[in-house]
Amino acid sequence: MTYLSLVIPVYNEEENLPILFDEISKAMKPLKESWEAIFVDDGSRDKSLEVLRGLAKKDQHVRVIVFRRNFGQTAAISAGIDHAKGNVVILLDADLQNDPADIPMLLSKLNEGYDVVSGWRKDRKDDITRTLPSVAANGLISWVTGVHLHDYGCTLKAYRREVLDEFHLYGETHRFIPVFAHSVGARIAELPVHHHPRLHGTAKYGLERTVKVLLDLFTVKFLLSYGNKPIRLFGGTGIVLMLASFVTLAYLFARKIIASTSVTASPLLPLAIMFLILGFQSILMGLIAELLVRTYHESQRKPTYTVREIIEGKKGRK
Ligand code: UDP
Ligand code: MG
């Protein structure tokens, strides 16, 4: 039986919350699944918490997790997932930009056999300073990670719980959840969803987020591709640098023998020496990184694989 947990991060959304919960209730009414709405109050400074207390008094579907201070959207999402009772988790924003009426559609797509259904704000109602960097960021993330989605930034997405349990969120990485899910073998689908302009409250992020996303992308790519084998990146770089150094040195000495050109007078000599030192250093750094990875695995003893299903043969006639 499916049990739906809606996880909603909340930071100063007092005016939006009553309308949002109304819309959620309407959207959930026709569904036969049991459900809960987990609001995570991320240290709001307005009346959000009072509003949430009021909602919880009136309706048993409401659960509220109250942070001691503002920890950020990723932490709020993470807390919601940790406390979710459901086997399907649906994330959505509290600002009414996502439409709860889309939830049944996400759910039926999930039931076609997917582990993640990713909402795509095809007709996005934000101004161009938000949408343009977002198009570039989505293209870049798709290209770098090989997970091709149009809209990583859209919070409205549905996940099977067991997939979310395979990894931890930290930093500001909630937009990479589909990438982490892909890395543990999730089947991912994408669906266009409705999007509305923000009518109440203010957007919590500005343009600087694009730079942060870009930097996070470096980390995510590195961890996913080389997190378990850093020597391949550091060592690979080191070998290329050392080869470049050897080729330069060979060229310098060949020139010396053939044309008696001075080796020491050439600017190529310090360059070759620099390549040699950097290459050697890079390989050593790779070895240190391997030690870190080993320490991590020895202390955590976490499996390095994920299992979708185990099928046991039934006892019976041969
Ligand atoms: N949010 C949060 N903690 C924060 C910032 C934002 O829980 O520190 C919540 C916010 O209340 C909203 C969602 O995260 O429900 C998305 O925030 P916002 O609408 O400002 O982001 P955008 O739609 O611009 O991506
Ligand atoms: Mg928003």
Side-chain angles (χ1 to χ4, degrees):
M1 196 50 201
T2 307
Y3 187 118
L4 295 176
S5 294
L6 313 188
V7 169
I8 306 145
V10 177
Y11 183 51
N12 300 343
E13 308 281 3
E14 54 182 7
E15 287 152 302
N16 293 315
L17 292 168
I19 314 171
L20 176 71
F21 188 65
D22 221 43
E23 289 184 7
I24 290 177
S25 304
K26 269 194 211 123
M28 303 311 283
K29 210 161 221 159
L31 296 182
K32 54 182 185 319
E33 284 83 1
S34 321
W35 64 279
E36 61 179 356
I38 304 182
F39 292 89
V40 186
D41 177 40
D42 185 14
S44 296
R45 291 162 200 274
D46 65 354
K47 299 230 159 49
S48 293
L49 183 54
E50 276 116 278
V51 176
L52 290 174
R53 280 191 208 283
L55 291 177
K57 264 196 197 126
K58 277 189 276 180
D59 197 311
Q60 56 164 12
H61 291 108
V62 176
R63 294 173 70 204
V64 184
I65 298 167
V66 187
F67 277 3
R68 288 191 192 275
R69 66 165 172 84
N70 178 253
F71 284 95
Q73 196 180 346
T74 300
I77 286 174
S78 190
I81 294 170
D82 289 344
H83 289 82
K85 292 182 195 152
N87 48 7
V88 168
V89 174
I90 293 175
L91 304 182
L92 72 157
D93 282 346
D95 58 0
L96 297 172
Q97 292 201 266
N98 296 137
D99 197 334
D102 288 325
I103 292 174
M105 175 182 76
L106 293 178
L107 197 62
S108 64
K109 189 76 188 172
L110 201 70
N111 287 334
E112 282 175 25
Y114 293 99
D115 301 305
V116 177
V117 180
S118 171
W120 166 22
R121 297 164 293 182
K122 201 169 179 178
D123 185 14
R124 191 171 164 186
K125 301 288 192 313
D126 283 321
D127 60 51
I128 189 128
T129 56
R130 308 283 313 268
T131 50
L132 215 60
S134 165
V135 169
N138 285 312
L140 194 68
I141 298 174
S142 295
W143 177 62
V144 170
T145 62
V147 185
H148 296 283
L149 292 179
H150 288 92
D151 196 353
Y152 283 91
C154 177
T155 310
L156 182 57
K157 298 183 198 294
Y159 301 90
R160 277 194 200 286
R161 178 59 188 270
E162 65 251 34
V163 166
L164 294 175
D165 285 342
E166 301 277 9
F167 50 85
H168 291 285
L169 294 175
Y170 57 90
E172 277 188 65
T173 49
H174 59 272
R175 73 187 52 250
F176 296 106
I177 301 177
V179 178
F180 299 138
H182 177 79
S183 78
V184 299
R187 288 168 290 211
I188 303 177
E190 187 175 53
L191 269 188
V193 292
H194 294 96
H195 192 244
H196 306 291
R198 199 186 235 283
L199 296 178
H200 311 286
T202 47
K204 272 77 194 179
Y205 307 102
L207 252 181
E208 80 286 352
R209 179 163 68 181
T210 316
V211 181
K212 291 185 185 164
V213 168
L214 201 68
L215 293 174
D216 289 342
L217 179 60
F218 275 115
T219 315
V220 168
K221 174 68 184 170
F222 172 71
L223 286 179
L224 290 180
S225 298
Y226 300 103
N228 281 322
K229 41 183 180 330
I231 191 69
R232 299 226 183 134
L233 180 68
F234 289 102
T237 313
I239 288 173
V240 170
L241 284 169
M242 286 174 98
L243 276 178
S245 169
F246 292 147
V247 169
T248 316
L249 286 175
Y251 168 72
L252 285 174
F253 282 109
R255 237 176 26 166
K256 169 88 184 163
I257 292 161
I258 296 163
S260 308
T261 321
S262 163
V263 171
T264 46
S266 167
L268 286 176
L269 185 65
L271 194 72
I273 294 173
M274 195 177 74
F275 279 166
L276 193 69
I277 296 171
L278 282 180
F280 190 60
Q281 290 280 7
S282 185
I283 292 173
L284 290 184
M285 266 200 308
L287 290 175
I288 293 180
E290 286 288 333
L291 272 183
L292 289 176
V293 173
R294 201 172 79 141
T295 313
Y296 170 78
H297 281 294
E298 291 290 331
S299 58
Q300 299 278 314
R301 296 228 172 264
K302 277 213 300 214
T304 51
Y305 51 80
T306 61
V307 176
R308 177 169 289 141
E309 193 183 350
I310 294 175
I311 301 166
E312 311 269 12
K314 274 217 178 92
K315 255 193 217 152
R317 274 171 297 166
K318 288 226 173 106

